[in-house]
Amino acid sequence: MGQEDSEFPWEIYAKLQSCPMGSNFGLKTVFSIQGPRSIYVYSLFIGLLSGFGAYGFNWALTWTESFTFGNLMGYDPGIPSGDLYFHSIGSAGPISPLWIVFLPAVGGLLVGIITSFFCSEAQGGGTDSLIYAFHFNEGKIRAKVPFYKALATILTLGSGGSGGKEGPTAQIGAGFGSSLAGFLGAGARARRTLMLAGTAGGLGAIFRAPLGGAITAVEMVYQEDIESDSLVPCILSSVTAYLTYTSIAGSGSLFSVQEYSLNDYRHIPLYIVLGLLCYVVGYFFVKVYHLVQDLFSKLPLPNFLKPAFGGLIVGCIALLFPEVLGSGFGLIQRMINGEVLESTSFGFSGPFFLLAVAIFKVFSTSLTVGSGSSGGLLGPSFAIGGMLGAFVGTMAQVLFPELNIIIFPFLLVGMGSFFAGVARAPIAGMIMVCDMIGSYELLPPLMIVSVIAVVLSHRISIYRNQIKNRFLSPSHHWDMNQDIMDRIRITDHFSEFRKYAMVSEHLSLTELQSNAPGIQASDFILLGAGDEYKGIVSLRKNRILPEFEEDLKNLITCGEIVQDVPSVNRNDTLGRALQILLEYDVDKLAIVEDGKCLGYLRYIDLFNAYQNEVKNKQRKSV
């Protein structure tokens, strides 16, 4: 053996040979996801992490707000009873118009620097990017996103920006789920499920809503459907996160509410009016938010300055209506407690002041989140809906004193129905509010108003990446009608097959890695002599790390790491082909006849054939 061979790190080569390239030396095999039970166990673990993450985020945010609102701006927005465990503002100093105007711009500038130079995914609401990752990116979220998202949101809300806390907590949990799935080498389906489980954990913890967090996570990805496959993992994660969070921050619901039930049915017409109002203002909110997003995307300013510009406009609004600052949950708790809200700037109160707060909250939220600052849309939606409900309740007190109207039920019903309308999530809106107040007594009026808002809002959604239903989502291309698939033969739709990603078994792994980007493939059909099919090599599962490329160059051939994947012939069905793709987690499979590989079919080829078959049957039935 020569000098060059004697210096080669053979122990590393032996380890690389004994397990798939890029795996953690067998850990992936030991802890790999074997089925639904594995998903359930990992959902509990993700819920635990999400609970701790939500606690850390809420502690940092509340501490920041106590300094900026109390010491700088001199405005006390209040605090929900469930967050009293954390440090509150105490006594606020005198109102400082200068800080109120410019502090949101300073926060926007810092957020702009983070999103422009460190993590672009930290901008905006967060929920829409989670929906996009679910449908179009196999549930993948970069590991650094939760940290930067949390930091950017603390800067946004702490400086007075109008947004919600759910965006970062959902992304913290979703990031845990996605990263864990990546560590385990899980497939796209499992990764999406664990991502949603993390989302549910973050929502369940921060809103103290164990069931509401789970329902919101599975319902928000579609306009007219739910991700039922992930419901149980989401419930497990949300409940675990809720228990973890409340074990540290104290038990109880987010809002403290006195007991109430709908006993006077004369109130029902008023709730119907509230549903109509939620639709009108919700439609206005969606249009304004999307308009602001589009305008700021085209604004001739450097990207890092856009959130600062949006924050400056928010500060000008807050100079007249400081009630629009922050999430708005403190104002909701104050009204639930029976306090009559009075304008900080003008000294007037009454129903039209509440309506004005709701309208200006629409603009402040759109400018904060739409300009690129970080904050959720769910929280402001609750706040806007709450103000609309309070407006209807207060007006009813003036116009119909004989009805003995209590305002806070209308406020809470408005919260759930407004979110249900703008997010196309009727069940989530109802359950979330019931969880946040720790009672289901308001469920009947919530159902009435939410259904009205959702039915009327069928053409709008605050989330642009929502897809109508699961059958139109790329995440469910695998979820095709198996009976039809089992009746379609490959030869019925394919006479020729692709051959681009076919390589020799003698090709080195390093050379394959170098050629893969040009071919735009990650799985390759391996051929022996005479085009004999040998199996599949997947660069997603076998890859030489960059630090070992020079040492292992040309030493590992594709034939040494081939995966034994069955082939099909032209007379096999699409159902059998799909079954092989799912079972062996590959994106293509070989077509073999008489011992010779004719080419391969990709996953998308099967889907297209299925769609064409369905369309042909529909045309024949007309």
Side-chain angles (χ1 to χ4, degrees):
M1 184 180 297
Q3 180 68 22
E4 190 171 333
D5 289 333
S6 64
E7 293 179 353
F8 181 79
W10 287 104
E11 70 276 8
I12 295 177
Y13 176 73
K15 290 178 180 179
L16 291 171
Q17 285 285 75
S18 64
C19 66
M21 301 296 162
S23 69
N24 293 284
F25 301 118
L27 286 178
K28 185 174 74 173
T29 303
V30 175
F31 296 103
S32 63
I33 295 175
Q34 304 295 332
R37 293 182 181 179
S38 301
I39 294 285
Y40 298 159
V41 171
Y42 286 124
S43 296
L44 294 173
F45 179 64
I46 291 169
L48 184 69
L49 295 178
S50 299
F52 283 120
Y55 173 83
F57 166 77
N58 208 17
W59 178 86
L61 175 61
T62 310
W63 183 89
T64 303
E65 287 180 332
S66 69
F67 173 74
T68 55
F69 279 79
N71 297 344
L72 299 181
M73 289 185 283
Y75 172 70
D76 183 5
I79 190 169
S81 61
D83 284 345
L84 287 175
Y85 168 87
F86 300 96
H87 178 64
S88 60
I89 290 176
S91 58
I95 289 285
S96 173
L98 196 64
W99 278 115
I100 286 180
V101 171
F102 290 105
L103 191 58
V106 173
L109 177 61
L110 296 175
V111 172
I113 292 173
I114 291 173
T115 57
S116 296
F117 301 107
F118 297 98
C119 181
S120 60
E121 297 98 318
Q123 66 180 336
T127 302
D128 220 11
S129 63
L130 292 180
I131 297 173
Y132 179 87
F134 177 85
H135 290 302
F136 303 106
N137 199 31
E138 298 183 345
K140 295 177 182 177
I141 298 174
R142 292 198 291 174
K144 68 178 183 179
V145 171
F147 169 76
Y148 283 110
K149 184 66 178 177
L151 178 60
T153 304
I154 290 171
L155 291 171
T156 298
L157 301 186
S159 64
S162 177
K165 299 186 286 188
E166 77 285 348
T169 53
Q171 282 203 322
I172 287 171
F176 286 149
S178 180
S179 297
L180 178 62
F183 172 79
L184 298 172
R189 290 176 62 186
R191 188 188 301 110
R192 290 188 180 100
T193 297
L194 294 180
M195 188 202 80
L196 286 185
T199 302
L203 295 174
I206 203 68
F207 288 127
R208 295 173 175 257
L211 181 57
I215 298 298
T216 302
V218 299
E219 193 175 24
M220 69 182 184
V221 293
Y222 300 112
Q223 295 177 0
E224 300 176 359
D225 207 341
I226 64 170
E227 184 60 24
S228 56
D229 296 346
S230 301
L231 181 58
V232 173
C234 284
I235 291 175
L236 292 173
S237 175
S238 184
V239 170
T240 305
Y242 165 79
L243 294 175
T244 303
Y245 183 87
T246 54
S247 68
I248 308 172
S251 60
S253 56
L254 183 63
F255 296 110
S256 177
V257 180
Q258 59 181 299
E259 291 186 8
Y260 171 85
S261 59
L262 180 62
N263 297 321
D264 191 339
Y265 293 158
R266 292 178 298 172
H267 296 177
I268 292 179
L270 298 175
Y271 283 114
I272 294 175
V273 171
L274 176 57
L276 297 173
L277 181 62
C278 284
Y279 160 68
V280 172
V281 180
Y283 182 88
F284 178 68
F285 180 33
V286 171
K287 293 300 181 180
V288 170
Y289 174 67
H290 289 164
L291 177 63
V292 170
Q293 272 190 317
D294 295 338
L295 288 176
F296 271 86
S297 66
K298 300 173 184 177
L299 199 65
L301 281 176
N303 287 334
F304 73 93
L305 289 179
K306 292 179 181 180
F309 183 51
L312 183 62
I313 304 176
V314 170
C316 293
I317 295 174
L319 191 62
L320 302 176
F321 287 90
E323 292 80 10
V324 304
L325 296 171
S327 67
F329 277 20
L331 296 179
I332 291 174
Q333 183 64 69
R334 288 165 58 183
M335 295 193 68
I336 290 174
N337 295 341
E339 180 178 338
V340 177
L341 285 189
E342 184 175 285
S343 172
T344 305
S345 301
F346 303 105
F348 76 96
S349 59
F352 289 101
F353 167 67
L354 300 175
L355 181 62
V357 172
I359 298 301
F360 281 106
K361 188 72 173 175
V362 167
F363 286 107
S364 62
T365 301
S366 300
L367 288 163
T368 298
V369 183
S371 66
S373 285
S374 179
L377 294 171
L378 193 156
S381 297
F382 284 144
I384 295 167
M387 292 299 114
L388 295 177
F391 165 73
V392 172
T394 308
M395 284 293 293
Q397 282 183 334
V398 174
L399 299 176
F400 310 106
E402 70 279 5
L403 295 182
N404 299 316
I405 297 294
I406 302 175
I407 293 176
F408 81 83
F410 286 87
L411 183 151
L412 295 170
V413 170
M415 287 172 55
S417 58
F418 186 83
F419 170 71
V422 298
R424 305 296 302 278
I427 303 175
M430 293 184 286
I431 302 300
M432 184 68 83
V433 170
C434 291
D435 272 0
M436 287 195 295
I437 64 175
S439 170
Y440 281 79
E441 292 292 338
L442 287 174
L443 191 57
L446 270 168
M447 294 172 65
I448 295 171
V449 182
S450 296
V451 168
I452 292 173
V454 170
V455 169
L456 294 176
S457 305
H458 68 285
R459 293 182 180 273
I460 63 170
S461 174
I462 199 74
Y463 301 126
R464 280 179 155 166
N465 289 313
Q466 272 184 337
I467 288 180
K468 187 174 182 180
N469 55 53
R470 58 195 294 154
F471 300 108
L472 298 178
S473 169
S475 65
H476 278 282
H477 283 175
W478 55 270
D479 197 14
M480 296 181 272
N481 189 308
Q482 195 64 38
D483 291 337
I484 296 178
M485 296 287 285
D486 287 337
R487 291 197 299 266
I488 307 173
R489 294 187 306 162
I490 293 174
T491 189
D492 294 336
H493 286 270
F494 302 98
S495 58
E496 296 182 351
F497 306 98
R498 293 176 174 270
K499 297 184 178 181
Y500 299 109
M502 298 171 61
V503 297
S504 168
E505 63 178 330
H506 302 297
L507 185 71
S508 68
L509 182 56
T510 53
E511 189 175 353
L512 180 63
Q513 289 183 190
S514 300
N515 296 338
I519 303 175
Q520 296 184 346
S522 58
D523 293 352
F524 294 85
I525 305 296
L526 206 62
L527 301 180
D531 291 337
E532 178 187 3
Y533 173 64
K534 293 292 187 179
I536 289 181
V537 170
S538 176
L539 292 182
R540 293 179 291 111
K541 306 172 185 177
N542 304 277
R543 180 175 290 275
I544 297 176
L545 299 177
E547 56 266 34
F548 300 132
E549 281 188 2
E550 187 62 31
D551 293 330
L552 298 179
K553 187 176 182 180
N554 300 326
L555 287 177
I556 302 177
T557 65
C558 293
E560 294 175 294
I561 55 171
V562 64
Q563 181 183 0
D564 187 15
V565 178
S567 62
V568 295
N569 60 55
R570 286 190 288 194
N571 290 319
D572 281 322
T573 64
L574 297 186
R576 170 167 166 74
L578 179 62
Q579 182 181 2
I580 293 174
L581 289 177
L582 295 176
E583 181 178 350
Y584 289 87
D585 189 24
V586 292
D587 61 21
K588 56 180 62 70
L589 76 163
I591 311 298
V592 176
E593 283 191 2
D594 299 327
K596 183 177 180 180
C597 182
L598 305 179
Y600 61 85
L601 287 177
R602 303 168 302 163
Y603 183 82
I604 191 65
D605 297 328
L606 300 182
F607 179 71
N608 288 336
Y610 169 81
Q611 292 286 73
N612 291 334
E613 186 73 16
V614 172
K615 290 178 182 177
N616 291 336
K617 288 184 178 294
Q618 290 175 342
R619 282 196 292 266
K620 291 178 181 178
S621 62
V622 175

